[in-house]
Amino acid sequence: MSIRKSERLFKNAQKYIPGGVNSPVRAFKSVGGTPVFMKKAKGAYLYDADGNKYIDYIASWGPMILGHAFPPVVKAIRKYANLSTSYGTPTELEVKMARLITEMVPNVDLVRMVSSGTEACMSAIRLARGYTGRNKIIKFEGHYHGHADSFLVKAGSGVATFDIQQVPGVTPGVYADTLVAVYNDTEGVSELVRRHKGEIAAIIVEPVAGNMGCVLPKPGFLEHLRQLCTDEDIVLIFDEVMTGFRLAAGGAQEKLGIDADLVTYGKVIGGGLPVGAFGGRKKIMQHIAPLGSVYQAGTLSGNPLAMIAGYTVLSELRKHPEIFEELNQKTAYLRNGIDEVLSKTGRDYRINRFGSMISIHFSSEDINDFSSASRSDIPLFNKMFHYLLERGIYLPPSAYESWFLNNAINYADLDETIGKIADFCKSEL
Ligand code: PMP
């Protein structure tokens, strides 16, 4: 496989863009080698600048749940682009979008649209602070809630991939207000709340974590957080940027049967355009400006092209809820196939999966939190990543990321993937 054009593009990109990329993990810094520059994609396949084809397991890091260039989305964007790409005024489309979201997800009376997952989480935290009159928040090690200052403490995703312990530019005051607990450690988080009684505005959690690979909540953990927040008047925020409209129409709240006080969305909600949202019960959401004085705004929030792309995807998911089960079955098939292949190698490994989120850790211990994830054999993951990339399988370029299935993927694609992992095991392990 030649990637000469990608190599040329990357060299040129580095002259004009920091590190040649607009988001750090794309640079392949942790897996090594040259990032592949994509030119187009259709359904389950990516095509790079040199014309190589890949089966896509990142789905643009989640949004492309129905596959790339999904015809109804493309058609709708075209139609709306002809009317204008932005107004800066209210539009009927925003009302339809907000109504659809409130009908699909539990516990959301009011929803505010933003342009990224970062904005959604950052705004939800401000709202929780404004609502409770408290300053501190609790997040979990290895969880990623975007790149706002408050979240860059023991964060997952690129922060973990590049092992950045402290981010220059984040002030000590901000760090002091972010307390970090261990995911799945009920006693640890209770102790933190006890020590800071009356000071905690919010606990923010990825209900199913996806930024240290895929890591599932232990039975009872999220229920414990729910009870703790209720008892201590703390706002429980589910960051459903990854899980929203992916695990079920109503996201992790619906799938796991746990109610959050505020929920944040991104990725699938925008159908591949830059969209995020946060919402919750009126009691809390009414504190947002202009109803209340917790200020939050955006020139391009509710942008018509972004809204119609998201609205089209969400409508499709609502009309065809069987998509979630199809995705679940495909991912289970992939999991079982990989398990069969790896079990013959004598290597230690763990495969974590929830719905259409999945990841492999080469490890002899169960992966329940960030420290277990970070003790896994990351060089071996990187080796597998490159072996597969060179054979047309595109995994996330980091062991600290969940893979996302899209529903355009078919069983032949899954068999091909499993077969190539088997080849990797035979030739490299
Ligand atoms: N929360 C979670 C759980 C995420 O996975 C991400 C992005 N990967 C974000 C927030 C931030 O979203 P964005 O990159 O759109 O700002």
Side-chain angles (χ1 to χ4, degrees):
M1 178 185 280
S2 163
I3 55 158
R4 278 223 301 277
K5 275 194 185 159
S6 278
E7 282 164 353
R8 252 202 327 269
L9 283 167
F10 188 46
K11 218 170 148 193
N12 213 18
Q14 289 171 82
K15 287 190 206 157
Y16 308 109
I17 306 172
V21 291
N22 281 313
S23 197
V25 177
R26 294 182 199 167
F28 278 24
K29 210 170 153 189
S30 68
V31 289
T34 302
V36 181
F37 281 57
M38 294 305 166
K39 197 163 182 186
K40 62 176 186 177
K42 179 74 191 156
Y45 312 119
L46 302 166
Y47 298 87
D48 72 13
D50 292 275
N52 301 305
K53 178 182 171 185
Y54 305 84
I55 302 173
D56 180 16
Y57 287 97
I58 65 167
S60 182
W61 303 95
M64 314 311 290
I65 194 166
L66 301 174
H68 292 272
F70 183 63
V73 171
V74 175
K75 191 174 157 203
I77 292 174
R78 281 215 172 101
K79 180 178 156 194
Y80 275 80
N82 277 321
L83 303 177
S84 177
T85 52
S86 187
Y87 306 99
T89 69
T91 59
E92 185 180 359
L93 189 52
E94 291 162 274
V95 187
K96 284 173 72 175
M97 181 68 165
R99 181 173 172 180
L100 180 62
I101 294 167
T102 60
E103 287 171 356
M104 285 177 80
V105 307
N107 302 310
V108 170
D109 300 325
L110 293 174
V111 58
R112 172 63 60 82
M113 304 308 300
V114 293
S115 301
S116 69
T118 297
E119 272 186 79
C121 296
M122 176 185 92
S123 308
I125 288 291
R126 184 183 307 134
L127 174 57
R129 285 174 166 151
Y131 174 70
T132 58
R134 301 169 178 178
N135 291 337
K136 293 194 189 301
I137 61 163
I138 294 179
K139 74 174 284 289
F140 294 93
E141 193 178 7
H143 287 212
Y144 181 73
H145 306 292
H147 64 90
D149 289 1
S150 300
F151 305 127
L152 294 177
V153 185
K154 298 210 168 162
S157 189
V159 186
T161 303
F162 301 132
D163 194 21
I164 302 171
Q165 297 297 325
Q166 211 163 2
V167 178
V170 179
T171 64
V174 170
Y175 270 126
D177 280 336
T178 302
L179 308 174
V180 182
V182 173
Y183 186 56
N184 279 323
D185 176 4
T186 47
E187 192 34 48
V189 70
S190 286
E191 171 55 26
L192 206 51
V193 169
R194 264 197 301 276
R195 238 188 300 144
H196 294 275
K197 197 167 173 61
E199 294 177 338
I200 314 286
I203 296 180
I204 185 166
V205 63
E206 292 181 52
V208 175
N211 284 292
M212 44 184 174
C214 175
V215 182
L216 278 59
K218 281 187 180 168
F221 177 67
L222 295 173
E223 288 82 350
H224 177 79
L225 294 187
R226 175 64 279 171
Q227 192 57 49
L228 189 60
C229 287
T230 304
D231 293 347
E232 300 292 331
D233 295 322
I234 294 169
V235 177
L236 178 62
I237 304 174
F238 270 14
D239 178 348
E240 297 229 39
V241 169
M242 279 182 172
T243 54
F245 309 100
R246 172 165 285 278
L247 300 185
Q253 283 197 97
E254 177 191 315
K255 194 77 192 162
L256 302 167
I258 298 165
D259 299 335
D261 298 313
L262 287 178
V263 199
T264 61
Y265 297 101
K267 302 191 188 274
V268 174
I269 204 172
L273 271 77
V275 183
F278 64 101
R281 289 282 180 225
K282 194 171 174 194
K283 181 176 78 160
I284 304 179
M285 287 299 289
Q286 70 188 1
H287 292 267
I288 281 285
L291 276 181
S293 49
V294 178
Y295 197 72
Q296 190 284 325
T299 301
L300 291 174
S301 295
N303 171 270
L305 299 193
M307 289 302 97
I308 196 58
Y311 184 80
T312 307
V313 169
L314 298 196
S315 302
E316 186 74 10
L317 294 172
R318 190 184 200 197
K319 204 158 86 197
H320 297 289
E322 70 276 9
I323 288 171
F324 296 108
E325 188 45 34
E326 285 167 21
L327 276 165
N328 185 41
Q329 284 177 14
K330 285 176 187 176
T331 317
Y333 183 88
L334 179 68
R335 189 218 167 277
N336 294 341
I338 297 173
D339 189 34
E340 206 181 311
V341 164
L342 289 178
S343 65
K344 292 179 189 144
T345 62
R347 286 274 177 163
D348 290 320
Y349 66 94
R350 293 291 187 276
I351 308 173
N352 285 352
R353 177 185 84 87
F354 198 106
S356 54
M357 294 167 68
I358 181 171
S359 60
I360 303 174
H361 290 93
F362 291 103
S363 174
S364 58
E365 57 183 317
D366 290 345
I367 310 296
N368 294 317
D369 54 26
F370 182 70
S371 31
S372 49
S374 61
R375 283 192 294 268
S376 68
D377 188 342
I378 289 169
L380 184 54
F381 173 87
N382 294 347
K383 202 169 164 185
M384 181 177 76
F385 166 82
H386 276 294
Y387 185 95
L388 294 176
L389 183 73
E390 284 156 25
R391 288 157 185 83
I393 311 286
Y394 201 101
L395 301 184
S398 165
Y400 287 118
E401 303 284 353
S402 176
W403 315 0
F404 297 105
L405 264 70
N406 68 75
N407 207 33
I409 223 161
N410 60 40
Y411 283 89
D413 298 324
L414 299 174
D415 283 336
E416 185 179 333
T417 306
I418 295 162
K420 286 180 177 162
I421 293 177
D423 295 344
F424 168 74
C425 293
K426 267 187 229 128
S427 75
E428 306 290 328
L429 296 186

